[in-house]
C-alpha cells in the first residue's frame, strides 16, 4: 500500500474594496441668451482621476460614452464639443453629463465611484406677444383704456408663464386678470401743459424658479383736458365804429376756429381777420353779434370759449335846422323850424354870425 500523504489545500483571498464616496455637483437653470456655467464636480480628493461621460436620454437617463478624463479634472467646459445638442445660449433645452472618479493609487485595485448626473437648463425665450387689444397711442386725461394679450403660454423648458402689468406716473392699473388689464389715467399737469408722454411696460416671466422676465413697451401721449377760456369784453358801438380786437385768455388747447352769430340766426364760421388768440371783426353793419372760439387738444373733447356779445347800433337820421330866416331891426328871439326823426331829442349849437361874434 502506498503511504498516506497530507491533503493539498489551496486558498484564495477575495478583497472587497469599498467604492469611493459619490462626487457632488449642482444643476443650473438660466434664462435664454445667458451662458450656463461650466460643470464642476466636488467631493473628489486631490490626485484622483475624474471621468466625464455623455448623457443618454431615457426614462431614466443613463451615462454614455466617455467624454474625457484626467487627474484632478473637476471642471468640464460647457461647450458644443463636450455637450452634444448644445449650439449656443439661445438654444433652449436640458443639457446633462455624468461624472465619476477613480483613486489614482499604484499597484492597487482602484474602484470607480458612482456616476452622478449634472444638468444645465436653458429656458425658452418668453417675449411678450403682440396684444389683441393694444393701448391707444393718444388718450385724454381722466380716462381709462384696456390692454388684452393672448393667454400666457406654458413653455417646454421653463413651464408656466405670467404677465406683469406695470404702471407709470399718473397711469395706474385699475384691475387685471391673467391676460388683460384696465389702466386709469389721471396725470397731474403743470399749468398750461398740453400733454405728457408716458410708457406702459408689460412683462412676461416664469412663475417658478428664475423669472427671466421680458418686456414690451407701449408709448402713450396723454393730453390735458381742453379748457375754453374767456373772451375779453368789447363795448357796444355805433355803426361805423370798428369792432375789435376781441382776445381769448385762460384757455388750454389750440384755437381751431372762430364762430359768429348775427341777430340770433345761429353760429356760423367766422371768416374775418384773426391773429393768434384774437379777432378783429372791424366795421360791421347794425345788429346783435355774438362771437366765440373753438378749441381742441388732441383726442380730448372740442370745447367753446365764453361768448362775447357786441351790439352795433345804426346811426340816427341827421336832423334839419330849418330854412334860413332874415330879420330887420333888433332880434330878441325867434322860433326855429328844425325837424328831428322819430321823436328824437337834440341840442342847438352856435356855429357863426356876421359880423363875427354877434
Amino acid at each position: 500500500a502506498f503511504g498516506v500523504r497530507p491533503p493539498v489545500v489551496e486558498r484564495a483571498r477575495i478583497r472587497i474594496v469599498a467604492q469611493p464616496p459619490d462626487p457632488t455637483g449642482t444643476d443650473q437653470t438660466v434664462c435664454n441668451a445667458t451662458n450656463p456655467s461650466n460643470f464642476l464636480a466636488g467631493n473628489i480628493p486631490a490626485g484622483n482621476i475624474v471621468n466625464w461621460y455623455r448623457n443618454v436620454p431615457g426614462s431614466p437617463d443613463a451615462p454614455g460614452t466617455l467624454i474625457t478624463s484626467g487627474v484632478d479634472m473637476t471642471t468640464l467646459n460647457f461647450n458644443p464639443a463636450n455637450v452634444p445638442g448644445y449650439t449656443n445660449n439661445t438654444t433652449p433645452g436640458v443639457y446633462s453629463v455624468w461624472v465619476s472618479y477613480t483613486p489614482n493609487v499604484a499597484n492597487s485595485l482602484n474602484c470607480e465611484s458612482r456616476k452622478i448626473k449634472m444638468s444645465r437648463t436653458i429656458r425658452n425665450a418668453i417675449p411678450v406677444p403682440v396684444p389683441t387689444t393694444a393701448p391707444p397711442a393718444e388718450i385724454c386725461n381722466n380716462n381709462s383704456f384696456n390692454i388684452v394679450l393672448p393667454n400666457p403660454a406654458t413653455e417646454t423648458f421653463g413651464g408656466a408663464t405670467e404677465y406683469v402689468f406695470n404702471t407709470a406716473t399718473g397711469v395706474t392699473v385699475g384691475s387685471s386678470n391673467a391676460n388683460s388689464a384696465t389702466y386709469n389715467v389721471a396725470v397731474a399737469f403743470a399749468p398750461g401743459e398740453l400733454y405728457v408722454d408716458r410708457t406702459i411696460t408689460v412683462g412676461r416671466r416664469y412663475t417658478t424658479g428664475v423669472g427671466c422676465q421680458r418686456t414690451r413697451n407701449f408709448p402713450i401721449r396723454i393730453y390735458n383736458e381742453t379748457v375754453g377760456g374767456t373772451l375779453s369784453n368789447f363795448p357796444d358801438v355805433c355803426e361805423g365804429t370798428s369792432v375789435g380786437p376781441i382776445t381769448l385768455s385762460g384757455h388750454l388747447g389750440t384755437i381751431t376756429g372762430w364762430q359768429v352769430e348775427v341777430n340770433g340766426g345761429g353760429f356760423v364760421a367766422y371768416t374775418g381777420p384773426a391773429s393768434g388768440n384774437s379777432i378783429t371783426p372791424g366795421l360791421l353793419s347794425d345788429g346783435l353779434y355774438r362771437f366765440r372760439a373753438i378749441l381742441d387738444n388732441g383726442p380730448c373733447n372740442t370745447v367753446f370759449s365764453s361768448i362775447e356779445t357786441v351790439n352795433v347800433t345804426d346811426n340816427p337820421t341827421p336832423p334839419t335846422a330849418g330854412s334860413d330866416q332874415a330879420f330887420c331891426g333888433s332880434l330878441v328871439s325867434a322860433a326855429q323850424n328844425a325837424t328831428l326823426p322819430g321823436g328824437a331829442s337834440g341840442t342847438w349849437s352856435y356855429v357863426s354870425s356876421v359880423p363875427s361874434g354877434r
Side-chain angles (χ1 to χ4, degrees):
F2 295 98
V4 177
R5 294 178 179 270
V8 177
V9 178
E10 291 187 1
R11 295 182 180 181
R13 177 182 296 177
I14 300 175
R15 178 178 294 176
I16 299 175
V17 179
Q19 190 174 32
D22 293 347
T24 59
T26 56
D27 296 335
Q28 183 187 33
T29 298
V30 299
C31 300
N32 201 269
T34 301
N35 289 323
S37 63
N38 294 325
F39 294 105
L40 179 63
N43 197 36
I44 298 176
N48 282 228
I49 299 171
V50 183
N51 311 300
W52 294 94
Y53 299 89
R54 288 189 168 86
N55 180 58
V56 178
S59 297
D61 290 356
T65 59
L66 183 70
I67 301 171
T68 187
S69 66
V71 176
D72 293 331
M73 189 182 288
T74 54
T75 299
L76 180 70
N77 290 332
F78 187 87
N79 57 39
N82 291 332
V83 185
Y86 172 71
T87 303
N88 54 51
N89 61 15
T90 62
T91 306
V94 178
Y95 304 97
S96 302
V97 297
W98 297 75
V99 65
S100 70
Y101 69 95
T102 305
N104 187 18
V105 179
N107 301 316
S108 176
L109 180 61
N110 299 324
C111 294
E112 184 179 13
S113 70
R114 285 198 319 138
K115 301 177 179 70
I116 66 161
K117 186 173 73 169
M118 281 187 276
S119 298
R120 298 290 183 263
T121 300
I122 300 177
R123 288 189 154 184
N124 289 89
I126 48 172
V128 177
V130 175
T132 55
T133 300
E138 298 179 341
I139 192 171
C140 191
N141 200 31
N142 295 317
N143 281 279
S144 298
F145 66 87
N146 296 322
I147 179 171
V148 181
L149 296 140
N151 288 324
T154 298
E155 301 294 340
T156 303
F157 301 104
T161 63
E162 63 184 357
Y163 295 120
V164 180
F165 298 98
N166 299 301
T167 63
T169 303
V171 184
T172 57
V173 177
S175 62
S176 64
N177 56 29
N179 70 319
S180 66
T182 298
Y183 282 87
N184 298 324
V185 181
V187 171
F189 284 91
E193 197 171 23
L194 295 178
Y195 62 83
V196 295
D197 291 324
R198 295 286 187 265
T199 299
I200 301 303
T201 301
V202 176
R204 183 182 171 211
R205 66 188 180 190
Y206 288 104
T207 59
T208 59
V210 182
C212 302
Q213 179 166 297
R214 296 292 185 269
T215 59
R216 181 184 285 267
N217 294 332
F218 301 94
I220 301 175
R221 177 160 289 183
I222 301 168
Y223 285 83
N224 203 348
E225 293 177 280
T226 317
V227 178
T230 304
L231 290 176
S232 61
N233 179 60
F234 196 85
D236 297 338
V237 297
C238 293
E239 192 175 12
T241 300
S242 180
V243 175
I246 299 173
T247 301
L248 178 65
S249 62
H251 60 289
L252 193 147
T254 301
I255 300 173
T256 56
W258 296 82
Q259 291 182 334
V260 60
E261 180 190 73
V262 182
N263 297 325
F267 281 97
V268 296
Y270 167 82
T271 57
S275 177
N277 61 335
S278 297
I279 58 172
T280 306
L283 298 176
L284 302 174
S285 58
D286 63 288
L288 184 66
Y289 293 83
R290 303 174 76 213
F291 301 94
R292 69 183 183 185
I294 308 169
L295 295 101
D296 282 301
N297 192 34
C300 297
N301 292 334
T302 298
V303 300
F304 297 101
S305 69
S306 66
I307 295 173
E308 176 57 21
T309 301
V310 179
N311 190 10
V312 179
T313 305
D314 59 345
N315 291 315
T317 302
T320 59
S323 57
D324 293 340
Q325 300 183 48
F327 294 93
C328 293
S330 176
L331 174 64
V332 177
S333 65
Q336 305 298 303
N337 56 350
T339 60
L340 295 172
S345 62
T347 58
W348 289 93
S349 300
Y350 169 78
V351 177
S352 64
S353 64
V354 181
S356 176
R358 300 184 65 179

